């Protein structure tokens, strides 16, 4: 460690002697040794030096006192006064002024060269610097080994906390990726120091260290390692979600036999013998970010996948926590700047149950809320889930003539049909909702009947048109 003034005076070979009475400041570390014969050395000092002089220009008591004041103002740790050249003893005025300001004063014997003092302090600092470098390199090795030998990010952060003897927390937005505190303490700016983790992404990762601790240079190295590992985790997450997405896509479309579907689901971590719930997140504006975004800690037990442009999280049903988990996912995405809607499916066993949960979650998205609770799986969703029923083609055949007519004439036949179905066939309610005359509504309904061949006033035809609209709405969310 760095040499203190007391330790320097205690070296027998230097023959140094305390000349002042400032006992309380003798244990300050010496940063450097400065030799000067200037009357005013203050502008040449940075603080922390032991100032050595023979007092060649300090003839009068006034000059000696002024010299002490200048050294003290510069923040030096003390004065070493060489006797036997200009002065046979340390001047009394110098001693009195040093005592007045509490500045240590050392008498340097004639036979002790200043260079010997400077060399000893420099050697001590060099040894201290070398020891710090050795500790830092050892710390680097420990952190790298923790990361590369299977321990991962958690072991790296545990080792960092052990080195600094403090609690460590790693956050991404409001979610905690790691917390070493036994009380799971949430960090705050009041008694924690924060260090941003650069990843090149909008993931706002922050390393938090609880005060007090001493940074020996290991924190910046840890920041770099954490950054590298987080980027590796992103790539791994993207790969895993793509793989799981392929399996779920096949299961959703019913292209696998039940046994094969169960086997492949197990391969990506989904146990289809238990009840599973699908959480589905859709973001039209930020769907690319869904591929790699980390999930909140509450969803660590789930299996995430990307199907099309949507993020799916399959979780085991544990008795009603799906809504809370969906809320945590929605909040997490919003904090990451991803505006998404989250749909919740029902809890079912077996691969077909996972399909039903998916279509329930997708059907729930139609409500448009940040978090959408599941309803009973609609007939539309069940039909759409089957590859054997050409429902999308039937819907297109029914609605395409209306859409073409609207596009060519600036009409609103599709909107009128939707309003008519939503108002249970009430012409008066449609007229009020669309601000139209009732005869106009009746005329448009007649046009719809003529163009499609289906009469909205007839129950059978009304069901056909309602299914067509529902299928196109769901099909737009999940194109095959």
């Amino acid at each position: 460690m760095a040499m203190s003034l007391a330790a320097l005076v205690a070296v027998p070979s230097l023959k140094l002697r305390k000349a002042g009475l400032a006992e309380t400041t003798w244990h300050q570390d010496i940063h450097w040794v400065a030799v000067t014969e200037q009357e005013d050395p203050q502008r040449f000092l940075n603080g922390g030096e032991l100032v050595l002089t023979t007092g060649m220009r300090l003839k009068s008591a006034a000059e000696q006192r002024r010299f002490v004041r200048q050294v003290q103002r510069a923040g030096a740790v003390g004065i070493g006064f060489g006797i036997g050249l200009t002065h046979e003893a340390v001047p009394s005025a110098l001693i009195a002024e040093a005592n007045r300001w509490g500045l240590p004063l050392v008498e340097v014997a004639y036979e002790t060269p200043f260079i010997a003092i400077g060399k000893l302090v420099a050697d001590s600092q060099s040894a201290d610097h070398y020891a710090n470098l050795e500790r830092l390199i050892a710390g680097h090795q420990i952190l790298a080994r923790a990361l590369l030998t299977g321990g991962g990010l958690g072991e790296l952060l545990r080792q960092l906390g052990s080195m600094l003897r403090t609690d460590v927390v790693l956050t991404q937005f409001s979610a905690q990726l790691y917390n070493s505190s036994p009380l799971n303490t949430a960090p705050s700016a009041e008694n924690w120091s924060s260090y941003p983790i650069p990843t090149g992404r909008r993931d706002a990762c922050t390393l938090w260290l609880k005060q007090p601790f001493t940074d020996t240079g290991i924190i910046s190295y840890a920041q770099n390692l954490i950054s590298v590992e987080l980027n590796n985790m992103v790539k791994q997450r993207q790969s895993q979600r793509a793989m799981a997405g392929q399996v779920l896509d096949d299961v959703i479309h019913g292209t696998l036999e039940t046994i094969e579907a169960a086997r492949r689901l197990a391969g990506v971590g989904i146990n289809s013998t238990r009840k599973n719930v699908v959480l589905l997140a859709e973001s039209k504006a930020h769907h690319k970010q869904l591929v790699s975004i980390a999930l909140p800690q509450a969803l660590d037990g789930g299996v995430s996948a990307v199907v099309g442009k949507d993020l799916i999280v399959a979780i085991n049903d544990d008795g009603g926590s799906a809504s809370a988990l969906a809320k945590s996912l929605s909040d997490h995405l919003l904090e990451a700047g991803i505006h998404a809607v989250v749909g919740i499916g029902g809890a079912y066993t077996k691969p077909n149950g996972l399909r039903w949960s998916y279509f329930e979650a997708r059907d729930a998205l139609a409500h448009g809320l940040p978090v959408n609770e599941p309803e009973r799986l609609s007939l539309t969703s069940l039909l759409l889930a089957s590859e054997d029923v050409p429902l999308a083609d039937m819907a297109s055949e029914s609605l395409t003539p209306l859409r073409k007519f609207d596009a060519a004439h600036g009409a609103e036949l599709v909107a009128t049909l939707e309003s008519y179905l939503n108002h249970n066939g009430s012409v008066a309610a449609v007229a009020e909702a669309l601000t139209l005359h009732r005869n106009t509504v009746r005329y448009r309904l007649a046009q719809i009947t003529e163009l499609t061949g289906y009469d909205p006033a007839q129950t059978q035809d009304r069901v056909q048109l309602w299914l067509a609209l529902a299928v196109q709405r769901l099909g737009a969310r999940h194109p095959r």
Side-chain angles (χ1 to χ4, degrees), residues 75-116:
V77 300
I79 297 174
F81 196 90
I83 61 174
L85 290 174
T86 308
H87 300 271
E88 292 301 319
V90 180
S92 57
L94 197 74
I95 295 174
E97 194 67 15
N99 289 339
R100 178 188 174 193
W101 294 101
L103 186 68
L105 184 60
V106 177
E107 178 185 283
V108 182
Y110 174 77
E111 58 268 29
T112 301
F114 284 173
I115 193 172

Side-chain angles (χ1 to χ4, degrees), residues 273 318 341 439:
T273 65
D318 59 358
V341 289
N439 288 338

Side-chain angles (χ1 to χ4, degrees), residues 170-389:
L170 183 66
T171 62
Q172 183 183 48
F173 302 108
S174 61
Q176 292 187 7
L177 304 182
Y178 177 87
N179 192 332
S180 69
S181 172
L183 301 177
N184 202 34
T185 305
S188 63
E190 183 178 349
N191 55 354
W192 292 71
S193 296
S194 61
Y195 300 85
I197 304 298
T199 61
R201 296 179 175 85
R202 293 173 53 193
D203 48 14
C205 283
T206 305
L207 174 67
W208 298 84
L209 300 172
K210 190 174 184 180
Q211 301 168 358
F213 62 89
T214 301
D215 181 16
T216 59
I218 196 67
I219 294 177
S220 61
Y221 182 69
Q223 285 176 276
N224 291 330
L225 283 183
I226 295 169
S227 175
V228 170
E229 181 62 10
L230 287 175
N231 278 294
N232 288 337
M233 289 169 65
V234 166
K235 294 177 182 177
Q236 185 180 20
R237 193 156 52 236
Q238 290 173 336
S239 176
Q240 290 173 342
R241 285 179 182 170
M243 183 184 304
Q246 292 174 1
V247 176
L248 284 177
D249 194 58
D250 288 341
V251 171
I252 288 166
H253 287 130
T255 59
L256 301 174
E257 295 292 335
T258 301
I259 295 177
E260 176 64 11
R263 186 186 67 80
R264 290 185 61 187
L265 286 171
V268 295
I270 299 175
N271 182 354
S272 59
T273 65
R274 298 181 59 183
K275 285 187 176 182
N276 290 291
V277 173
V278 167
L279 305 181
L280 193 153
E282 179 190 68
S283 176
K284 294 180 180 179
H286 306 106
H287 60 84
K288 291 183 179 179
Q289 286 92 320
L290 291 178
V291 176
S292 58
I293 185 73
L295 297 181
Q297 199 169 22
L299 289 171
D300 281 350
V303 174
S304 59
V306 173
V307 176
K309 295 181 178 180
D310 302 329
L311 174 66
I312 293 175
V313 184
I315 58 174
N316 290 131
D317 176 49
D318 59 358
S321 65
S323 297
L325 293 176
K327 179 67 164 57
S328 70
L329 175 60
S330 176
D331 292 345
H332 181 70
L333 295 176
L334 184 61
E335 191 174 4
I338 299 175
H339 297 278
V341 289
V342 177
I344 307 171
Y348 304 104
T349 60
K350 301 181 181 180
N352 273 342
L354 199 66
R355 294 175 63 203
W356 298 338
S357 184
Y358 168 82
F359 279 100
E360 279 188 348
R362 178 155 294 290
D363 209 14
L365 292 181
H367 301 309
L369 301 173
V371 176
N372 301 276
E373 296 286 344
E375 297 177 355
R376 256 184 241 172
L377 189 57
S378 67
L379 175 62
T380 312
S381 294
L382 284 172
L383 290 172
L384 190 62
S386 174
E387 290 286 339
D388 298 329
V389 181

Side-chain angles (χ1 to χ4, degrees), residues 131-141 215-219 221:
N132 286 335
L133 285 178
E134 281 190 322
R135 286 192 293 271
L136 187 59
I137 292 172
H140 287 187
Q141 292 174 340
D215 181 16
T216 59
I218 196 67
I219 294 177
Y221 182 69

